């Protein structure tokens, strides 16, 4: 959707641009929510952006804030003709501008052109500004996150609104610290060979480290400039929520809620819940990796003699939850040990009842231990 004009008398947050001034290039709108009570685009909410680079898709990789990478083409068409020939896919680099609500649709064919109004937040519930204080709570605040949805809702709804910003900033710092402190696992020769065969640079892990350091630098700048970026309470609630959403890489449903909500306090509660949940998942993954690394007997397989069972196999008993790699088509299958296992010579006979109801007696041997793992250890 193309935007031809804005109605709001206020400039976009933290921007000195005159939104009434003629624009050198058109502004485009990305709709994220459509009002089902209205026909067409009237009342739809979205984000405005200016296209600063447009070129037929060829690419380079650009690292996103949440750690995912995406291909962006950078050619010679900068700030010029955005139309292309219409036959090939175009790659565009956009500069975000402001959040809007559609007030009038000027044209629908061949593409929508609309007049919009900037969508601003309502005043926060509290009546006076509260000074922002940034406290390093450390990671201990996130060790015992509640998994029950109803209890979580009650927990976050009861947080004092004046504590939301400091707590969210602390959560953002915890995410940065997790990324900085995560040491890349050393790749085996086989893994390096697979990456090279796939055309992937084995040094890709260095990119992850550089991204973590870049995120840490951005966070430091954000904290030191917060009061300049958002001098008022209503602006701080908005920018902290947006930044925390990006830092944590929250899913699209949360992002949609962030953009459509005009209650800054309610928005930050949703974001804080998502960020702290993400911290808990990362911590759980790290604990799992530590357990796997501690119990990994892979290096011993290089020694002369037969491979041995991993230490965790000795703890298998009736009721133990396991995962078994059945084949390429079925992948990892969840199951529960139905009987106490029996050791026959150098293999463990394990009776497993899988989630689909089938029961099988399976040999657990040292040379096939890669097909077995404790439940919850995998990322598949």
């Amino acid at each position: 959707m193309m935007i031809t004009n804005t109605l709001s008398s206020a400039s976009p947050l933290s921007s000195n641009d005159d939104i009434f001034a003629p624009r050198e290039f058109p502004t485009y709108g990305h709709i994220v929510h459509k009002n089902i009570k209205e026909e067409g685009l009237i009342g739809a909410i979205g984000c405005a952006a200016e296209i600063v680079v447009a070129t037929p898709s060829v690419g380079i990789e650009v690292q996103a804030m949440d750690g995912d990478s995406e291909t962006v083409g950078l050619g010679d068409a900068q700030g010029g003709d955005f139309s292309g020939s219409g036959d090939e896919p175009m790659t565009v680099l956009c500069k975000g501008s402001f959040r809007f609500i559609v007030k009038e649709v000027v044209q629908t064919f061949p593409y929508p052109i609309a007049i919009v109004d900037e969508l601003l937040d309502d005043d926060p519930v509290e009546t006076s500004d509260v000074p922002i204080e940034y406290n390093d709570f450390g990671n201990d605040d996130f060790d015992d996150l509640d998994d029950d949805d109803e209890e979580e809702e009650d927990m976050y709804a009861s947080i004092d609104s004046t504590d939301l910003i400091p707590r969210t900033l602390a959560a953002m710092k915890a995410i940065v610290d997790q990324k900085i402190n995560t040491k890349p696992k050393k790749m085996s020769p086989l893994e390096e060979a697979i990456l090279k065969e796939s055309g992937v640079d084995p040094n890709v892990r260095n990119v992850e480290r550089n991204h973590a350091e870049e995120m840490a630098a951005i966070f430091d700048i954000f904290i030191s400039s917060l009061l300049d970026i958002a001098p008022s309470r209503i602006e701080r609630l908005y920018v902290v929520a947006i930044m925390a959403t990006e830092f944590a890489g929250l899913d699209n449903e949360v992002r949609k809620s962030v953009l459509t909500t005009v209650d800054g306090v309610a928005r930050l509660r949703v974001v804080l819940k998502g960020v702290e949940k993400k911290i808990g998942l990362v911590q759980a993954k790290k604990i799992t990796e530590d357990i796997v690394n501690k119990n990994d007997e892979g290096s011993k397989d290089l020694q002369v003699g037969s491979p041995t069972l991993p230490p965790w196999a000795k703890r298998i008993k009736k009721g133990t939850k396991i995962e078994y790699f059945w084949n390429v088509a079925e992948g990892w299958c969840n199951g529960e040990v139905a009987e106490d296992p029996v050791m026959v010579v150098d293999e463990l006979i394990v009776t497993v009842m899988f989630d689909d109801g089938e029961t099988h007696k399976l040999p657990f041997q040292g040379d096939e231990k890669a097909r077995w793992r404790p439940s919850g250890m995998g990322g598949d």
Side-chain angles (χ1 to χ4, degrees):
M1 183 188 75
M2 185 179 292
I3 298 171
T4 59
N5 200 0
T6 52
L7 302 176
S8 175
S9 59
S11 348
L13 290 177
S14 303
S15 171
N16 295 321
D17 296 337
D18 181 3
I19 62 176
F20 295 106
R23 297 182 181 274
E24 183 179 358
F25 304 115
T27 302
Y28 294 85
H30 175 72
I31 299 294
V32 297
H33 174 72
K34 185 175 178 295
N35 190 344
I36 60 175
K37 296 181 180 180
E38 297 284 351
E39 293 185 3
L41 294 175
I42 302 297
I45 296 173
C47 298
E50 294 180 8
I51 296 179
V52 294
V53 174
T55 182
S57 297
V58 260
I60 62 170
E61 280 198 348
V62 174
Q63 196 77 15
M65 182 67 74
D66 61 2
D68 296 331
S69 61
E70 56 182 323
T71 302
V72 174
L74 294 178
D76 296 326
Q78 298 190 16
D81 182 11
F82 301 143
S83 60
S85 67
D87 297 329
E88 72 281 348
M90 298 289 292
T91 297
V92 297
L93 181 63
C94 299
K95 179 178 71 173
S97 184
F98 60 94
R99 183 177 52 155
F100 65 80
I101 182 169
V102 177
K103 291 297 184 179
E104 180 182 346
V105 177
V106 178
Q107 172 184 306
T108 58
F109 183 83
Y111 49 81
I113 298 180
I115 297 175
V116 304
D117 192 10
E118 185 188 6
L119 183 61
L120 301 173
D121 276 359
D122 296 333
D123 290 333
V125 175
E126 60 272 15
T127 56
S128 61
D129 281 3
V130 179
I132 287 185
E133 295 180 1
Y134 174 63
N135 297 312
D136 183 3
F137 295 137
N139 290 345
D140 292 341
D141 290 340
F142 311 106
D143 287 342
D144 301 316
L145 297 180
D146 197 341
D147 292 330
D148 186 87
D149 289 341
E150 293 183 1
E151 291 185 9
E152 280 185 353
E153 292 292 344
D154 293 338
M155 178 178 70
Y156 287 95
S158 62
I159 297 175
D160 192 301
S161 61
T162 60
D163 293 332
L164 287 173
I165 290 179
R167 182 161 168 174
T168 304
L169 293 175
M172 291 170 64
K173 184 176 186 300
I175 288 178
V176 171
D177 290 343
Q178 285 178 341
K179 290 185 177 293
I180 289 292
N181 295 329
T182 299
K183 297 181 179 179
K185 183 179 178 181
K186 185 177 181 180
M187 288 188 292
S188 66
L190 177 60
E191 289 175 319
E192 291 182 355
I194 292 174
L195 288 177
K196 289 180 179 178
E197 186 70 21
S198 304
V200 179
D201 185 357
N203 294 322
V204 67
R205 295 176 185 270
N206 294 334
V207 176
E208 297 175 357
R209 177 67 182 182
N210 293 340
H211 174 253
E213 293 176 353
E214 180 183 5
M215 179 181 284
I218 292 173
F219 179 73
D220 289 341
I221 294 172
F222 179 69
I223 289 298
S224 62
S225 307
L226 183 55
L227 292 178
D228 295 326
I229 298 171
S232 69
R233 170 76 168 164
I234 190 172
E235 291 174 315
R236 289 196 292 272
L237 288 168
Y238 183 81
V239 299
V240 170
I242 295 293
M243 201 66 168
T245 300
E246 291 299 318
F247 263 63
L250 300 183
D251 60 39
N252 287 337
E253 284 302 314
V254 176
R255 292 171 185 265
K256 178 180 176 181
S257 174
V258 166
L259 289 172
T260 56
T261 301
V262 293
D263 182 342
V265 170
R267 178 194 298 114
L268 201 52
R269 292 188 195 279
V270 172
V271 172
L272 178 61
K273 177 182 176 181
V275 174
E276 292 190 345
K277 184 176 182 180
K278 182 66 72 80
I279 293 171
L281 292 175
V282 172
Q283 287 183 336
K285 181 179 179 181
K286 184 177 184 302
I287 292 172
T288 299
E289 290 175 347
D290 290 343
I291 294 174
V292 172
N293 293 336
K294 183 177 180 181
N295 295 334
D296 185 17
E297 296 288 318
S299 59
K300 294 185 179 180
D301 290 351
L302 300 177
Q303 299 177 4
V304 177
S306 301
T308 59
L309 292 174
W312 71 268
K314 300 177 182 178
R315 300 192 292 271
I316 296 178
K317 59 183 180 180
K318 182 178 180 180
T320 301
K321 302 285 187 180
I322 59 93
E323 295 177 17
Y324 180 80
F325 190 86
W326 192 263
N327 55 34
V328 175
E330 297 294 334
W332 288 97
C333 302
N334 295 311
E336 180 176 338
V337 178
E339 302 174 3
D340 288 332
V342 178
M343 178 65 75
V344 178
V345 190
D346 59 348
E347 68 180 21
L348 198 63
I349 305 301
V350 186
T351 303
V352 180
M353 183 172 69
F354 292 97
D355 288 354
D356 61 2
E358 294 187 4
T359 301
H360 297 270
K361 289 185 181 294
L362 303 170
F364 192 168
Q365 301 169 316
D367 56 359
E368 286 196 345
K369 63 185 177 183
R371 301 182 69 174
W372 297 78
R373 67 189 184 194
S375 180
M377 289 293 186
D380 301 294

